[in-house]
Amino acid sequence: MKFLIIVFFSFFISLFAYTQDSLVIISKIINPDIPCRKDSTNKKITLQYKQNNSYIDINTFKSNKCINYYIIPKVNGEYKFIVTTKSYETELSTFEITEKTSDSLEINEIFLFNKAPIYSKEKEIHEVTITGERKSLVKFEANKTIYMVKDNDLLSGGSIEDAVKKLPGVIKGFGGELTVNGKSMAIYIDNSPSGLTGSDLENLLQSIPASSIEKIEIINNPGASYDANTGGGIINIITNGNALRGINGAATLNYRFNRNNKISPSININSRLNNISVQLNSGFNYREWNKTNNYEREFTYFFPHIFFYQKGKDEGYNRYYYFRPSANIKLGNKSNLLINYNYSYTYNDLFNTTNSESLNSIKSIDLSSTNKSTNKNSNHEIITQYKTQLDSLGTKFDVTTYFSHYDKISSNKNAQNNSGINSYSINKIDLNYNNFYAKSNFEIPIKKIDLSVNLGGKYSITHSSSSGKYNLMNKSSSIFEYPEYISNLTFDYDDYQYAFYTEVNKNFKKLNITAGLRYENLKYKSHIKEYVREINNRLDKMYPSISFLYKITPILNFTTSYRKSISLPPYTNLDPNINGYYDEFNTTTGNPYLKPDFYNNYEITFSAFNYLRLGFQYTYSNQVNLLSFETKDNSLKVNQTTQTFNGLKNYNISLGIPIPFDLIRKGKKFFKEPLNVDKMSFLYFFNMYNYFKLDDYPYINKVKPIWIFSFYTQIFLPMDLKFSGFYLFSTNKGNYKIYTANRPFNYSNFELSKSFYNKTFKASFGVENLFNNSKIAAGIISHNLNTNSYQKDDNQIFYLKLSYNFGKLKNLKKENTIIDNDKQKNSFNIPYK
């Protein structure tokens, strides 16, 4: 470790000295008729600088390559990059260098077209302004980290959940939730809350292919413009947003298999006509899966203790369809309207067989049970956003409206035999969930003092209802064929909220500060009709946030942030209607008395090149809702539910170290070449330390931390092959909140990919869980009950992914998906020759 630290500090110092007074421009000039690696067309590149109202030539380059690097002094201003050849049209691109432009700048791809009439050239590229975009796979900001998924073989091979689970610090916890550095995260899609929780959210993330998304943002401490109801932070999934002339897009087929089949065809279509850009993402996912669930329970109320063993196998079939059209309508030079409609439909079948037996029980238990459940759900979302620039100073205003309707019908049939006695149970649950909100935002820049102010507000309404019908432990199997329900349970939930916020961003040369304050007033109530019981609550609170980004050097950053937030109980955790497996000794219910979690999140991070990172996070919540098991004294019946605990503390330390292979192979020469981490072979090591302590949980005598290690690699091989790999594993016997890890858990993914026909066709072959040991074994201790659970998903999964890009490949204009660059101040202030 000491050797690695010395090597990397030497690497940073040398590279900083090399790049401090210059700027590396990276360009890709593509001839559609010739593969990039074989293109030897002679090109003349002229670089022009805008002085007064005209452009002057400042440098000329010659090249016969497709990808080119140019080193120039850093000078603020506007530029033209002009490409001229003998047999092709003259092409150009414009870009701007500002006070904050980074040391490495990749301009948009430039396409060459013959002068023949059949290749009539479109002039729209001249209207595109590039503000120092660099296509980095990772972008680090004060309160978030951005990971590009498109063109990233490591992330784009499977589903959205697969991609998210491969990000540094992301773990799917023992309760099934996605966490980042130990913190619970809210899931957003295209900057809006997903609106789904539990198994419904899991189905969504497992069904949509990762190739349909542009990037994933890990927002550790969201600012005041975000809802306070984000827990420890936000995982924001941004879908593809490309708009080109004509009709173009991509079709993909992802086939995953072991003893089960998983098939996911999808299509992305884009088009742009005059002032209207449209896009369609649509696809289908068919997924077969198996899971083993074993429970060992010790009932400590009895003497001697009674031991209960339950072995279960799940077999599931999931069918998921999605249809997501969107449009961007340009209403004028300074205004546009975005309209999105998202529709999805899910049909699930689950078959479960369980065998249970007891030891030391007064009455012998030998229980076999079969359970079949079916659920159908559909989700509709309509989102509109109007944006406009109000004046020449850059004041912007936008207003967003959102409406979603979700409905779900689920039914369960259970047959059990306990020591020769048969019983049968059925239930049916109808769920409806509706949410509407409207929000607005003013962005006011004050350029003279390099300050910007955001002001905004939001109003939202939510209404949910579920109706459950039951007939449990009936002695006749005829209820399967002729359903008859003898009990009902009706649950309603409503909330009303309005919020206001202000946020200020100020630059002080190397220091950037963002501070915000959000006020939220929330009223929510739940009602159980049959119990004539109503629960009312009101929250009227302020939520501050602040973040600092200090550029120690152009490549070394220091950030620190704080945010207060809340995590309201998900509707699925409140609903008392049974929504899972049950038999004579097992039930699953919601808890309408859950309280909200309040989080105080602190974070400090050092980073270099966006890849080398050392971070410390501390989170305190005075309350936290966790999945648990409960039982009454003198009873063997266990209810799986959610309970509120008090005083959760989480300490997290993370370290990420990149190891570029060229550093070993080239030695000193490595520092003399332009750095492009995204196109080099490397190994990335990420280590995370998690320590949880719960104040009012007396069942763990000595809390042990969990260490998690992960490795990422990218290797460029001969014949344009690319290998990417990911492996994660944990230590043993650590504590995660109230859960104890009884054995290490791990996950792996390895993939080999190759592009053909100038990157229009791509094939990938990979394997997940190569070592066939992706298991979770955890223990939970509660009153009168010690529970050890063991879960194992599918064995190794092999997959083949094929993708085809079709349509025109010129005049690419990204909408709402550009990542701003790292920028730094330039010491030059005059044009140069």
Side-chain angles (χ1 to χ4, degrees), residues 200-267:
D200 297 316
L201 177 60
E202 187 176 47
N203 282 333
L204 174 70
L205 298 181
Q206 289 178 352
S207 300
I208 299 180
S211 57
S212 68
I213 61 178
E214 182 84 14
K215 62 184 177 181
I216 300 173
E217 299 178 342
I218 303 296
I219 309 175
N220 298 307
N221 282 327
S225 60
Y226 290 91
D227 289 349
N229 183 26
T230 56
I234 293 173
I235 299 176
N236 188 23
I237 300 163
I238 305 296
T239 58
N240 287 331
N242 298 335
L244 294 83
R245 290 283 185 184
I247 297 177
N248 51 83
T252 62
L253 174 64
N254 194 350
Y255 175 51
R256 306 167 72 203
F257 59 93
N258 45 23
R259 58 182 175 178
N260 298 311
N261 294 303
K262 302 169 176 62
I263 304 172
S264 303
S266 64
I267 189 167

Side-chain angles (χ1 to χ4, degrees), residues 38-297:
K38 297 182 179 180
D39 185 14
S40 59
T41 307
N42 292 320
K43 311 170 188 72
K44 178 183 177 183
I45 293 95
T46 303
L47 190 63
Q48 294 184 342
Y49 176 82
K50 188 175 183 180
Q51 191 174 49
N52 298 324
N53 292 323
S54 61
Y55 284 87
I56 60 172
D57 294 347
I58 56 174
N59 215 331
T60 301
F61 309 94
K62 291 184 179 180
S63 172
N64 60 355
K65 297 180 180 179
C66 174
I67 301 176
N68 303 274
Y69 300 87
Y70 313 99
I71 301 175
I72 65 172
K74 290 184 180 177
V75 179
N76 294 343
E78 298 179 17
Y79 293 81
K80 279 185 180 180
F81 188 89
I82 304 172
V83 180
T84 56
T85 59
K86 184 177 181 180
S87 304
Y88 297 88
E89 294 269 6
T90 299
E91 302 289 344
L92 66 84
S93 180
T94 61
F95 62 91
E96 182 181 1
I97 299 176
T98 68
E99 292 181 350
K100 302 171 186 178
T101 300
S102 65
D103 297 319
S104 180
L105 186 155
E106 183 172 346
I107 66 175
N108 270 7
E109 296 174 344
I110 295 177
F111 291 82
L112 300 179
F113 295 96
N114 288 327
K115 293 182 179 179
I118 191 172
Y119 293 102
S120 59
K121 188 179 74 166
E122 293 176 290
K123 298 294 185 180
E124 188 168 347
I125 192 70
H126 296 265
E127 300 175 5
V128 179
T129 300
I130 305 164
T131 57
E133 180 187 1
R134 182 180 184 274
K135 295 172 100 175
S136 176
L137 297 182
V138 180
K139 173 70 169 63
F140 181 67
E141 296 182 358
N143 65 344
K144 67 180 177 182
T145 305
I146 305 168
Y147 298 92
M148 300 302 296
V149 177
K150 185 180 178 182
D151 299 326
N152 187 341
D153 294 327
L154 185 64
L155 300 180
S156 60
S159 66
I160 289 180
E161 185 184 83
D162 294 330
V164 172
K165 284 165 56 179
K166 294 176 188 175
L167 301 181
V170 177
I171 299 294
K172 190 173 183 180
F174 296 105
E177 63 177 349
L178 289 170
T179 65
V180 177
N181 295 327
K183 299 189 297 184
S184 301
M185 307 292 279
I187 304 296
Y188 277 45
I189 298 178
D190 290 329
N191 299 306
S192 296
S194 64
L196 301 177
T197 59
S199 61
D200 297 316
L201 177 60
E202 187 176 47
N203 282 333
L204 174 70
L205 298 181
Q206 289 178 352
S207 300
I208 299 180
S211 57
S212 68
I213 61 178
E214 182 84 14
K215 62 184 177 181
I216 300 173
E217 299 178 342
I218 303 296
I219 309 175
N220 298 307
N221 282 327
S225 60
Y226 290 91
D227 289 349
N229 183 26
T230 56
I234 293 173
I235 299 176
N236 188 23
I237 300 163
I238 305 296
T239 58
N240 287 331
N242 298 335
L244 294 83
R245 290 283 185 184
I247 297 177
N248 51 83
T252 62
L253 174 64
N254 194 350
Y255 175 51
R256 306 167 72 203
F257 59 93
N258 45 23
R259 58 182 175 178
N260 298 311
N261 294 303
K262 302 169 176 62
I263 304 172
S264 303
S266 64
I267 189 167
N268 169 255
I269 301 176
N270 310 277
S271 184
R272 180 153 54 94
L273 178 63
N274 297 327
N275 293 329
I276 301 178
S277 302
V278 294
Q279 182 185 82
L280 172 65
N281 277 305
S282 186
F284 164 72
N285 182 69
Y286 173 76
R287 183 165 54 97
E288 302 172 352
W289 53 272
N290 295 91
K291 180 184 290 186
T292 300
N293 296 287
N294 295 339
Y295 292 93
E296 298 178 0
R297 292 185 171 128

Side-chain angles (χ1 to χ4, degrees), residues 737-750:
K737 298 181 179 178
I738 64 173
Y739 317 106
T740 300
N742 291 330
R743 62 177 297 164
F745 62 87
N746 58 71
Y747 173 74
S748 64
N749 179 269
F750 301 97

